[in-house]
DNA sequence: TAGATTGTTAATCGATTAACAATC
DNA sequence: TAGATTGTTAATCGATTAACAATC
């Protein structure tokens, strides 16, 4: 569903507008960021279940709040993080997590050298503690920041413990059964898309030269 | 175009398979990662312009190469990076960039304290040098890793210099004219989507409880 | 009031899947 | 040869846009 992909961006735009003190926003304004029709935005908003006012548009804070409720980021989601390397450490200290309703409850690493160290207030736990922690905290999301070759193994491990949402930062495509949501964050994808765009552009300008 | 979004993932999967020494892959196997029909994969492959062999499938290395050509990552794209903070510095040293055909030619920061420092082999340049560098290197991509509030300004600046592809890591939605491609990398989006999924799941299990 | 903007139904467009022949 | 898998056309499904009434 494309609507669902746009909604987090709306939220971000509305946060920025709120900070600038804007009160209202029109569907036309929101649409221009996505290069889509403003009808599309109004339809997206109706999915969220929010109502605007003819002539003035949508209340910035009202719509932002409705999106937060819709996405479930206004309530807390518990998470664990596995793999305390460079990226993992950065994520642990990233303030954006709590801003979006994520509450880290524990961090893990299979390397004994890293265990018992404290990072961002968390003591790094051994993988053996995984089962116990997931069960006692009712963990919703597992964040995977282990090296590429270890990622699928870790994924299988947490799925076994009944985790249903995985946020994968290892540069590999994880596979899990359809009832588990895997979000693969992968910088190479963005890079590849930009590269393709530039290539097409060059080809076109060659034709019209 | 959804096909275009899947293609970089195919590339990643094929790289992994190549490393493991796999020779052939079927459309069915590729399809299962995306939870789509295998017909879809065959259609995607036809867009790339590659041919498989009935019964055996697609050559892993052959298809990988064809995707590389299609995406333009087999040839070099020049890039600059603006904003040498924590994330910017990490990106400069990230080996994945060159793996996907990106060649960094210069890095910038508006903070005089950071200028003249050397990071990953690059001397940090002042913003004043932007124009000169872009013109003399025929720069294709601008990577923006400045703080949120500075991002749109930097975006306008590089668009003025005729840059047509922007890779934005600042957590804000940049806007540019339709002929400029902006890729917004935004962790909050992934988080929001996972959160929504969990919320929906909870609601459903409440209904069927 | 007139004009701007929302909300919604119908029409169009694009993406996905079904069906099946071609082929190794 | 028989079976598996590709490639492609037709059918279906979903997302986007066009049209327009409702309303502040």
């Amino acid at each position: 569903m494309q609507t669902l992909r746009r909604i987090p961006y709306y939220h971000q735009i509305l946060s920025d507008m709120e900070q600038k003190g804007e009160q209202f926003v029109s569907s036309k304004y929101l649409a221009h960021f996505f290069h889509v029709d403003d009808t599309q935005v109004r339809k997206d908003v109706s999915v969220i279940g929010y109502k605007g006012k003819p002539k003035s548009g949508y209340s910035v804070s009202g719509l932002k709040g409705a999106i937060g409720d819709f996405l479930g980021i206004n309530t807390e989601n518990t998470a664990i993080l596995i793999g305390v390397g460079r990226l993992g450490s950065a994520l642990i200290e990233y303030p954006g997590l709590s801003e979006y309703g994520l509450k880290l409850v524990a961090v893990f690493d299979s390397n004994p050298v890293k265990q018992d160290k404290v990072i961002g207030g968390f003591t790094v736990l051994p993988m053996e503690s995984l089962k116990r922690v997931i069960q006692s905290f009712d963990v919703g999301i597992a964040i995977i920041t282990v090296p590429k070759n270890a990622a699928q193994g870790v994924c299988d491990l947490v799925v076994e413990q009944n985790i249903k949402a995985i946020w994968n930062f290892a540069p590999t495509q994880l596979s899990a059964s359809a009832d588990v949501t895997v979000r693969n964050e992968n910088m190479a994808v963005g890079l590849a898309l930009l590269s393709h765009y530039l290539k097409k552009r060059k080809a076109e300008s060659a034709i019209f030269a």
Side-chain angles (χ1 to χ4, degrees), chain A residues 14-119:
Chain A
L14 293 166
S15 292
D16 288 357
M17 292 182 76
E18 202 176 35
Q19 248 189 0
K20 282 177 193 148
E22 312 271 355
Q23 303 274 321
F24 285 92
V25 62
S26 69
S27 55
K28 197 178 164 193
Y29 178 76
L30 288 172
H32 100 274
F33 285 98
F34 302 91
H35 306 296
V36 295
D37 201 90
D38 49 315
T39 308
Q40 185 63 69
V41 172
R42 293 202 288 282
K43 242 194 147 195
D44 290 350
V45 171
S46 87
V47 169
I48 295 160
Y50 189 71
K51 295 277 180 192
K53 279 185 201 160
K55 178 137 173 150
S56 44
Y58 303 101
S59 150
V60 168
S61 63
L63 181 52
K64 185 192 161 201
I67 291 176
D69 289 343
F70 178 79
L71 290 174
I73 62 184
N74 290 347
T75 56
E76 242 173 28
N77 275 307
T78 51
I80 55 171
L81 181 146
I82 300 143
V84 185
R86 200 188 294 196
L87 176 62
S89 307
L91 265 178
I92 291 169
E93 309 199 39
Y94 180 63
L97 296 187
S98 62
E99 214 174 285
Y100 279 80
L102 201 94
K103 186 181 163 74
L104 213 51
V105 295
V107 309
F108 300 86
D109 203 297
S110 65
N111 185 347
V113 175
K114 287 182 181 162
Q115 288 158 17
D116 294 333
K117 285 199 175 165
V118 177
I119 296 175

Side-chain angles (χ1 to χ4, degrees), chain A residues 100-183:
Chain A
Y100 279 80
L102 201 94
K103 186 181 163 74
L104 213 51
V105 295
V107 309
F108 300 86
D109 203 297
S110 65
N111 185 347
V113 175
K114 287 182 181 162
Q115 288 158 17
D116 294 333
K117 285 199 175 165
V118 177
I119 296 175
F122 293 96
T123 304
V124 179
L125 303 174
M127 297 303 281
E128 289 71 36
S129 309
L130 201 60
K131 191 174 174 179
R132 185 179 51 76
V133 171
I134 289 176
Q135 288 173 352
S136 50
F137 282 97
D138 188 27
V139 171
I141 297 175
I143 305 172
I144 297 181
T145 47
V146 300
K148 184 165 127 173
N149 293 326
Q152 185 65 57
V154 170
C155 175
D156 296 344
L157 216 58
V158 297
V159 166
E160 219 169 81
Q161 297 303 323
N162 226 26
I163 294 272
K164 297 297 182 194
I166 290 169
W167 201 11
N168 172 42
F169 287 83
T172 187
Q173 191 74 0
L174 296 183
S175 90
S177 56
D179 77 320
V180 176
T181 285
V182 179
R183 167 84 187 183

